[in-house]
Amino acid sequence: MVLASRSENELSHVVAEIERDGGKCLAVPTDISEESQVAHLFSRTLESFGPADILVNNAAVIEIRDFVDMDLATWEHVMGINVRGPFLCSREAFRQMIASGTKGAIVNLTSLSGVRGPEKFKGFSSYVVSKYGVLGLSEILAVEGKPHGIRVNSVAPGAVDTVMLKKAAPFLNTSTTPEDIARTILFLADNAQSHHITGANIEIFSNE
Amino acid sequence: MPGALENKVAIVTGAGRGIGAATARLFAREGAKVVLASRSENELSHVVAEIERDGGKCLAVPTDISEESQVAHLFSRTLYSFGPADILVNNAAVI
């Protein structure tokens, strides 16, 4: 396991938990919107554990702002983390997987904010656009990955009980947990379970 | 018969060719005052000439829509020349 996050402090707690349970992991503090930091993340992975078999593009930010008040810096910040980040990480993963002949899997986290249909919320413009971008990225990378045996799928949760939800949409109640979503991600990441699936998006309408 | 867009103010980006140019020409025929935006001043000038030859009212504003200041300029020129925009067609794109 290679854990990436901008927050070294948060990573250290997760690393401690994983190691306490006997798991193998490495924390690499990374701003995924920075090309050089993503290159470093993947080179650290390669030298520590070998080429990546699985990439989960989960990192994202949300900024709530009425559209008329949207400033360019906020817009670019959200697009940087939510769209450029998955682009840069996926590109490095593709290069590493192709060079090593790895039949890898990429799982992208989009959102019910990033698909047509579910109700959208006022103030979410940058987030909605970014998550549509992730959906598009997944669809095209499934095409580009096919000749190399790289599978690319996405998961679109609705409300999940996370820090982000409390910040962005405290009016939503949910009993869906991060662990629920993690099991869905595992399904798409595990070639044994989902070798037959690429280009799919699992929309998670919580059962409540 | 009055056009469908009589006296409306319409901004069309990517109006130098293709769908943008066709939309600008159509809107002008329907009576709109059309503001044409494109990075290419040269392409705009051809579309403007066509619209004016047909008696339409329009204005070309060379614009790189990825630049905040140039977009502000596009809208202030529109306001100054024709009044506030009624219609925006976000057509400009690259591939």
Side-chain angles (χ1 to χ4, degrees):
Chain A
M1 276 303 311
V2 181
L3 293 81
S5 163
R6 282 173 301 171
S7 165
E8 191 160 6
N9 183 40
E10 288 184 353
L11 284 181
S12 67
H13 295 296
V14 185
V15 165
E17 279 185 74
I18 290 176
E19 290 181 339
R20 191 193 320 123
D21 294 346
K24 231 176 169 175
C25 69
L26 169 73
V28 184
T30 308
D31 178 344
I32 56 162
S33 68
E34 292 293 335
E35 191 170 26
S36 61
Q37 294 192 34
V38 172
H40 176 252
L41 168 65
F42 278 80
S43 62
R44 288 279 282 124
T45 300
L46 189 62
E47 72 194 25
S48 301
F49 297 139
D53 298 285
I54 296 164
L55 166 66
V56 181
N57 280 312
N58 168 72
V61 293
I62 190 163
E63 296 291 343
I64 311 300
R65 205 143 310 186
D66 279 356
F67 183 61
V68 289
D69 300 324
M70 179 62 69
D71 58 290
L72 190 56
T74 299
W75 184 271
E76 298 285 11
H77 173 64
V78 173
M79 294 304 149
I81 305 282
N82 294 10
V83 181
R84 190 167 66 204
F87 151 61
L88 291 171
C89 291
S90 298
R91 193 185 60 179
E92 288 304 314
F94 260 59
R95 288 173 177 172
Q96 216 167 73
M97 289 169 180
I98 291 168
S100 59
T102 302
K103 308 285 186 212
I106 296 178
V107 182
N108 295 320
L109 273 287
T110 177
S111 164
L112 292 184
S113 287
V115 299
R116 237 187 132 77
E119 180 187 6
K120 302 298 180 281
F121 303 112
K122 188 169 150 53
F124 276 50
S125 59
S126 57
Y127 187 72
V128 165
V129 171
S130 73
K131 289 304 186 179
Y132 266 86
V134 173
L135 187 69
L137 183 71
S138 300
E139 193 173 356
I140 188 57
L141 293 189
V143 173
E144 298 232 1
K146 212 166 230 177
H148 307 289
I150 300 170
R151 297 183 305 109
V152 184
N153 293 289
S154 57
V155 180
V160 182
D161 185 15
T162 61
V163 172
M164 184 186 273
L165 183 76
K166 287 184 186 74
K167 176 190 172 191
F171 49 88
L172 292 177
N173 291 310
T174 181
S175 57
T176 302
T177 66
E179 288 70 25
D180 293 327
I181 306 303
R183 282 192 301 278
T184 309
I185 296 170
L186 172 62
F187 168 70
L188 292 172
D190 180 6
N191 284 345
Q193 296 182 62
S194 61
H195 63 91
H196 57 305
I197 300 177
T198 191
N201 179 44
I202 298 184
E203 298 179 358
I204 302 180
F205 292 93
S206 297
N207 182 23
E208 55 203 15
Chain B
M1 201 175 86
L5 302 179
E6 214 60 55
N7 289 321
K8 298 285 188 192
V9 176
I11 300 174
V12 180
T13 68
R17 50 188 152 115
I19 293 171
T23 303
R25 284 191 297 259
L26 176 61
F27 280 20
R29 273 203 305 278
E30 292 291 345
K33 290 175 269 191
V34 183
V35 180
L36 295 86
S38 162
R39 282 174 302 172
S40 166
E41 192 161 3
N42 183 41
E43 287 185 354
L44 285 181
S45 67
H46 294 298
V47 185
V48 165
E50 278 184 80
I51 290 175
E52 290 181 340
R53 189 193 323 121
D54 293 346
K57 233 177 166 175
C58 68
L59 169 73
V61 184
T63 308
D64 178 345
I65 57 161
S66 69
E67 292 294 335
E68 191 170 26
S69 61
Q70 293 192 35
V71 173
H73 177 253
L74 168 64
F75 278 78
S76 62
R77 287 281 281 126
T78 301
L79 187 63
Y80 176 78
S81 300
F82 296 141
D86 297 287
I87 297 165
L88 166 65
V89 181
N90 278 313
N91 166 73
V94 293
I95 189 163

PDB file of all heavy atoms in Angstrom, chain A residues 67-81:
ATOM      1  N   PHE A  67     -22.303  30.535  -7.882  1.00  0.00           N
ATOM      2  CA  PHE A  67     -21.594  30.638  -9.154  1.00  0.00           C
ATOM      3  C   PHE A  67     -21.177  32.076  -9.460  1.00  0.00           C
ATOM      4  O   PHE A  67     -20.069  32.315  -9.936  1.00  0.00           O
ATOM      5  CB  PHE A  67     -22.464  30.078 -10.283  1.00  0.00           C
ATOM      6  CG  PHE A  67     -21.785  30.069 -11.609  1.00  0.00           C
ATOM      7  CD1 PHE A  67     -20.622  29.346 -11.816  1.00  0.00           C
ATOM      8  CD2 PHE A  67     -22.291  30.816 -12.661  1.00  0.00           C
ATOM      9  CE1 PHE A  67     -19.978  29.341 -13.032  1.00  0.00           C
ATOM     10  CE2 PHE A  67     -21.650  30.826 -13.885  1.00  0.00           C
ATOM     11  CZ  PHE A  67     -20.502  30.094 -14.073  1.00  0.00           C
ATOM     12  N   VAL A  68     -22.046  33.031  -9.154  1.00  0.00           N
ATOM     13  CA  VAL A  68     -21.702  34.433  -9.479  1.00  0.00           C
ATOM     14  C   VAL A  68     -20.521  34.924  -8.650  1.00  0.00           C
ATOM     15  O   VAL A  68     -19.861  35.888  -9.026  1.00  0.00           O
ATOM     16  CB  VAL A  68     -22.890  35.397  -9.270  1.00  0.00           C
ATOM     17  CG1 VAL A  68     -23.940  35.182 -10.339  1.00  0.00           C
ATOM     18  CG2 VAL A  68     -23.494  35.277  -7.892  1.00  0.00           C
ATOM     19  N   ASP A  69     -20.265  34.294  -7.517  1.00  0.00           N
ATOM     20  CA  ASP A  69     -19.154  34.721  -6.660  1.00  0.00           C
ATOM     21  C   ASP A  69     -17.896  33.880  -6.887  1.00  0.00           C
ATOM     22  O   ASP A  69     -16.905  34.033  -6.173  1.00  0.00           O
ATOM     23  CB  ASP A  69     -19.551  34.600  -5.177  1.00  0.00           C
ATOM     24  CG  ASP A  69     -20.752  35.459  -4.846  1.00  0.00           C
ATOM     25  OD1 ASP A  69     -20.849  36.566  -5.430  1.00  0.00           O
ATOM     26  OD2 ASP A  69     -21.592  35.047  -4.025  1.00  0.00           O
ATOM     27  N   MET A  70     -17.939  32.969  -7.844  1.00  0.00           N
ATOM     28  CA  MET A  70     -16.808  32.065  -8.062  1.00  0.00           C
ATOM     29  C   MET A  70     -15.586  32.849  -8.546  1.00  0.00           C
ATOM     30  O   MET A  70     -15.662  33.557  -9.538  1.00  0.00           O
ATOM     31  CB  MET A  70     -17.192  30.996  -9.095  1.00  0.00           C
ATOM     32  CG  MET A  70     -16.088  30.019  -9.433  1.00  0.00           C
ATOM     33  SD  MET A  70     -15.527  29.029  -8.035  1.00  0.00           S
ATOM     34  CE  MET A  70     -16.984  28.000  -7.763  1.00  0.00           C
ATOM     35  N   ASP A  71     -14.480  32.721  -7.820  1.00  0.00           N
ATOM     36  CA  ASP A  71     -13.245  33.364  -8.260  1.00  0.00           C
ATOM     37  C   ASP A  71     -12.374  32.323  -8.970  1.00  0.00           C
ATOM     38  O   ASP A  71     -12.479  31.117  -8.718  1.00  0.00           O
ATOM     39  CB  ASP A  71     -12.500  33.970  -7.064  1.00  0.00           C
ATOM     40  CG  ASP A  71     -12.181  32.924  -6.021  1.00  0.00           C
ATOM     41  OD1 ASP A  71     -13.125  32.435  -5.357  1.00  0.00           O
ATOM     42  OD2 ASP A  71     -11.004  32.560  -5.883  1.00  0.00           O
ATOM     43  N   LEU A  72     -11.533  32.841  -9.849  1.00  0.00           N
ATOM     44  CA  LEU A  72     -10.735  31.958 -10.698  1.00  0.00           C
ATOM     45  C   LEU A  72      -9.822  31.053  -9.866  1.00  0.00           C
ATOM     46  O   LEU A  72      -9.645  29.878 -10.194  1.00  0.00           O
ATOM     47  CB  LEU A  72      -9.919  32.804 -11.681  1.00  0.00           C
ATOM     48  CG  LEU A  72      -9.211  32.061 -12.810  1.00  0.00           C
ATOM     49  CD1 LEU A  72     -10.175  31.225 -13.633  1.00  0.00           C
ATOM     50  CD2 LEU A  72      -8.484  33.062 -13.710  1.00  0.00           C
ATOM     51  N   ALA A  73      -9.269  31.590  -8.775  1.00  0.00           N
ATOM     52  CA  ALA A  73      -8.326  30.802  -7.968  1.00  0.00           C
ATOM     53  C   ALA A  73      -9.021  29.581  -7.359  1.00  0.00           C
ATOM     54  O   ALA A  73      -8.456  28.483  -7.331  1.00  0.00           O
ATOM     55  CB  ALA A  73      -7.722  31.678  -6.871  1.00  0.00           C
ATOM     56  N   THR A  74     -10.238  29.765  -6.865  1.00  0.00           N
ATOM     57  CA  THR A  74     -10.986  28.639  -6.292  1.00  0.00           C
ATOM     58  C   THR A  74     -11.295  27.613  -7.375  1.00  0.00           C
ATOM     59  O   THR A  74     -11.126  26.399  -7.178  1.00  0.00           O
ATOM     60  CB  THR A  74     -12.303  29.142  -5.659  1.00  0.00           C
ATOM     61  OG1 THR A  74     -11.974  30.059  -4.615  1.00  0.00           O
ATOM     62  CG2 THR A  74     -13.122  27.991  -5.098  1.00  0.00           C
ATOM     63  N   TRP A  75     -11.751  28.101  -8.511  1.00  0.00           N
ATOM     64  CA  TRP A  75     -12.063  27.205  -9.635  1.00  0.00           C
ATOM     65  C   TRP A  75     -10.844  26.367 -10.016  1.00  0.00           C
ATOM     66  O   TRP A  75     -10.914  25.141 -10.143  1.00  0.00           O
ATOM     67  CB  TRP A  75     -12.550  28.043 -10.829  1.00  0.00           C
ATOM     68  CG  TRP A  75     -12.985  27.222 -12.001  1.00  0.00           C
ATOM     69  CD1 TRP A  75     -12.199  26.783 -13.032  1.00  0.00           C
ATOM     70  CD2 TRP A  75     -14.306  26.722 -12.240  1.00  0.00           C
ATOM     71  NE1 TRP A  75     -12.966  26.046 -13.909  1.00  0.00           N
ATOM     72  CE2 TRP A  75     -14.246  26.001 -13.453  1.00  0.00           C
ATOM     73  CE3 TRP A  75     -15.523  26.824 -11.567  1.00  0.00           C
ATOM     74  CZ2 TRP A  75     -15.369  25.379 -13.996  1.00  0.00           C
ATOM     75  CZ3 TRP A  75     -16.643  26.198 -12.114  1.00  0.00           C
ATOM     76  CH2 TRP A  75     -16.552  25.485 -13.311  1.00  0.00           C
ATOM     77  N   GLU A  76      -9.710  27.053 -10.161  1.00  0.00           N
ATOM     78  CA  GLU A  76      -8.484  26.364 -10.582  1.00  0.00           C
ATOM     79  C   GLU A  76      -8.002  25.383  -9.505  1.00  0.00           C
ATOM     80  O   GLU A  76      -7.459  24.321  -9.819  1.00  0.00           O
ATOM     81  CB  GLU A  76      -7.364  27.376 -10.890  1.00  0.00           C
ATOM     82  CG  GLU A  76      -7.685  28.336 -12.038  1.00  0.00           C
ATOM     83  CD  GLU A  76      -7.604  27.697 -13.412  1.00  0.00           C
ATOM     84  OE1 GLU A  76      -7.505  26.464 -13.510  1.00  0.00           O
ATOM     85  OE2 GLU A  76      -7.674  28.450 -14.403  1.00  0.00           O
ATOM     86  N   HIS A  77      -8.198  25.751  -8.241  1.00  0.00           N
ATOM     87  CA  HIS A  77      -7.801  24.860  -7.144  1.00  0.00           C
ATOM     88  C   HIS A  77      -8.583  23.543  -7.221  1.00  0.00           C
ATOM     89  O   HIS A  77      -8.006  22.447  -7.138  1.00  0.00           O
ATOM     90  CB  HIS A  77      -8.048  25.552  -5.805  1.00  0.00           C
ATOM     91  CG  HIS A  77      -7.827  24.673  -4.610  1.00  0.00           C
ATOM     92  ND1 HIS A  77      -6.591  24.138  -4.299  1.00  0.00           N
ATOM     93  CD2 HIS A  77      -8.682  24.231  -3.656  1.00  0.00           C
ATOM     94  CE1 HIS A  77      -6.699  23.411  -3.202  1.00  0.00           C
ATOM     95  NE2 HIS A  77      -7.967  23.443  -2.793  1.00  0.00           N
ATOM     96  N   VAL A  78      -9.893  23.645  -7.391  1.00  0.00           N
ATOM     97  CA  VAL A  78     -10.734  22.448  -7.454  1.00  0.00           C
ATOM     98  C   VAL A  78     -10.401  21.616  -8.692  1.00  0.00           C
ATOM     99  O   VAL A  78     -10.246  20.387  -8.608  1.00  0.00           O
ATOM    100  CB  VAL A  78     -12.232  22.832  -7.424  1.00  0.00           C
ATOM    101  CG1 VAL A  78     -13.110  21.611  -7.665  1.00  0.00           C
ATOM    102  CG2 VAL A  78     -12.578  23.494  -6.088  1.00  0.00           C
ATOM    103  N   MET A  79     -10.244  22.272  -9.830  1.00  0.00           N
ATOM    104  CA  MET A  79      -9.892  21.538 -11.053  1.00  0.00           C
ATOM    105  C   MET A  79      -8.498  20.913 -10.921  1.00  0.00           C
ATOM    106  O   MET A  79      -8.252  19.821 -11.433  1.00  0.00           O
ATOM    107  CB  MET A  79      -9.913  22.465 -12.278  1.00  0.00           C
ATOM    108  CG  MET A  79     -11.276  23.005 -12.633  1.00  0.00           C
ATOM    109  SD  MET A  79     -12.493  21.709 -12.903  1.00  0.00           S
ATOM    110  CE  MET A  79     -13.953  22.570 -12.343  1.00  0.00           C
ATOM    111  N   GLY A  80      -7.608  21.598 -10.234  1.00  0.00           N
ATOM    112  CA  GLY A  80      -6.238  21.102 -10.068  1.00  0.00           C
ATOM    113  C   GLY A  80      -6.196  19.790  -9.308  1.00  0.00           C
ATOM    114  O   GLY A  80      -5.552  18.831  -9.728  1.00  0.00           O
ATOM    115  N   ILE A  81      -6.882  19.744  -8.180  1.00  0.00           N
ATOM    116  CA  ILE A  81      -6.876  18.525  -7.368  1.00  0.00           C
ATOM    117  C   ILE A  81      -7.784  17.457  -7.978  1.00  0.00           C
ATOM    118  O   ILE A  81      -7.434  16.281  -8.031  1.00  0.00           O
ATOM    119  CB  ILE A  81      -7.373  18.820  -5.928  1.00  0.00           C
ATOM    120  CG1 ILE A  81      -6.565  19.943  -5.283  1.00  0.00           C
ATOM    121  CG2 ILE A  81      -7.363  17.543  -5.086  1.00  0.00           C
ATOM    122  CD1 ILE A  81      -5.219  19.554  -4.778  1.00  0.00           C
TER     123      ILE A  81
END
